[in-house]
Each structure stands twice: as C-alpha cells, then as structure tokens.
Amino acid sequence: MDLRALFRDHLDTRMAALAPALEATGYDTLVISSGQPFTYFADDQDAPFNAIPHFRHHCPLEGPHHLLMLKPGQKPRLVRFAPEDFWYEQLPLGDPFWADSFDVVEAATLDAVWASLGDLGRGAYVGNEVDRAEAAGLALNPLDLTLQLDWNRGLKTPYEVACIEVAAAMAARGHEAGRRAFFAGANELEIHHAYVQAVG
C-alpha cells in the first residue's frame, strides 16, 4: 500500500471540496488549528490532548498548536509548533509519508506560529485558539462553513478506507489475544497487556 500516494490523493480531494465551500461562504482562506490543550482546574497537568477533528481530517500530525492554512489553488501550508523548551524535547519531523503534501514551516513560539501565516485575505478559522485567531482578523468557526466541513468528513477517501482497514486488522489481533488471555484465566490488567502487545 502506497500511503504517500493515497494521502496525496486524499488531500487533493479535501482541497477540491473546500474550494466551493469557501466560495459559497465568502472566504478565500481557511485556517485550522490542531488545538490547544487545557489544564485541569487547580492542577498543573494537562488533560489528554486530541487534535481538532477538522485538522486531523487534513493532516495526521500529532500535538497542539499546529496550524494549517488552506487556500484553493495553493499548496497547503502546515506550520508545525516545535518549541525550544527545557521540559519538552521536540523530535525532528523526519520524513513522514504525508509531509511532501504540505509547505512545512517550523516555529518555536506561538507568536511565530501565527506570524508564519502571512496574508490571510478574507479568512475563516476553525479551532479553539479563538483569541489568537480573532487577533489575526479571522472569522471564528463560521457555522455556514463548518457545516460543509462536517458534511465532507462523512465522505471517505481511499486513504481513509485504507487507514480503517489497517486499524481494524490491528484491533482484530488485539481482541483475539485478549480472548485467549481471558479463557486462560488472565485478570483484567493481563488481558489489557495481551491486547496492547498484540496490537504493537
């Protein structure tokens, strides 16, 4: 399976669907953030982070504060937040199968992330970093556009189907290992470990 080619076609399909959605709603640019984490009240720990679904729909990069700038007719720009931080070492991006589909820019601070976007024209924003998006002059989570983006998420590309197939095969191995462990008398934690080991 050639994930690189499948993903390139996937992103082309997403961009082709985005162009009429932007035109119909009066925008020429869409900025999507991967999202910002939140910290538990009265604590110093962040909740487990999950990227904004619309970001994940266009890019599989993990982690908070990344931005996508999508303009029809242009290569999508991905701004990767890679802070120079004493506590959180950032590994190099490397060469993931999806990277060459984007104009990738790295930024060490949140201010630099947003400055990397450049001219946004009449832009819309989807995500939860609304203070920065508002300061950038973007329309915040416009309903008419997000409804179309939500609809488009229901239509699966061959890349997404391939990902579902791989995930289902992995899960089947895990469930089979869990079943064997259960019937061998394993406790709940041991069953969980059998599942995780089988999935890899």
Side-chain angles (χ1 to χ4, degrees), residues 136-160:
L138 296 168
L140 305 178
N141 297 304
L143 182 61
D144 52 352
L145 179 57
T146 56
L147 286 174
Q148 292 189 53
L149 296 175
D150 288 339
W151 177 262
N152 290 340
R153 285 175 57 211
L155 308 172
K156 302 304 180 198
T157 64
Y159 163 74
E160 291 171 298

Side-chain angles (χ1 to χ4, degrees), residues 11-12 15-16 18-20 22 28 69-76:
L11 191 57
D12 287 346
M15 293 299 291
L18 177 64
L22 287 174
D28 50 37
M69 184 176 74
L70 308 174
K71 285 187 178 186
Q74 294 185 17
K75 189 172 189 177

Side-chain angles (χ1 to χ4, degrees), residues 66-88:
H66 309 305
L67 292 180
L68 281 174
M69 184 176 74
L70 308 174
K71 285 187 178 186
Q74 294 185 17
K75 189 172 189 177
R77 173 174 287 182
L78 169 63
V79 183
R80 178 179 180 244
F81 178 53
E84 296 175 4
D85 189 289
F86 177 80
W87 298 107
Y88 301 103

Side-chain angles (χ1 to χ4, degrees), residues 9-177:
D9 291 344
H10 164 79
L11 191 57
D12 287 346
T13 301
R14 296 279 67 87
M15 293 299 291
L18 177 64
L22 287 174
E23 184 177 357
T25 54
Y27 301 105
D28 50 37
T29 304
L30 174 62
V31 175
I32 309 174
S33 72
S34 63
Q36 63 184 355
F38 70 91
T39 303
Y40 291 115
F41 179 73
D43 202 344
D44 63 353
Q45 294 186 20
D46 287 342
F49 178 77
N50 290 302
I52 302 287
H54 293 294
F55 183 91
R56 295 287 307 248
H57 197 210
H58 291 83
C59 179
L61 178 62
E62 297 288 343
H65 302 299
H66 309 305
L67 292 180
L68 281 174
M69 184 176 74
L70 308 174
K71 285 187 178 186
Q74 294 185 17
K75 189 172 189 177
R77 173 174 287 182
L78 169 63
V79 183
R80 178 179 180 244
F81 178 53
E84 296 175 4
D85 189 289
F86 177 80
W87 298 107
Y88 301 103
E89 179 182 5
Q90 295 296 315
L91 295 175
L93 181 60
D95 184 30
F97 64 88
W98 48 263
D100 62 358
S101 294
F102 298 96
D103 170 21
V104 180
V105 176
E106 295 214 348
T109 66
L110 290 179
D111 288 340
V113 167
W114 285 85
S116 297
L117 294 177
D119 179 27
L120 297 170
R122 179 160 160 68
Y125 170 78
V126 172
N128 64 0
E129 297 183 75
V130 292
D131 292 343
R132 289 185 178 273
E134 187 173 33
L138 296 168
L140 305 178
N141 297 304
L143 182 61
D144 52 352
L145 179 57
T146 56
L147 286 174
Q148 292 189 53
L149 296 175
D150 288 339
W151 177 262
N152 290 340
R153 285 175 57 211
L155 308 172
K156 302 304 180 198
T157 64
Y159 163 74
E160 291 171 298
V161 171
C163 290
I164 292 168
E165 289 173 347
V166 169
M170 292 171 65
R173 288 195 303 273
H175 286 294
E176 179 58 29

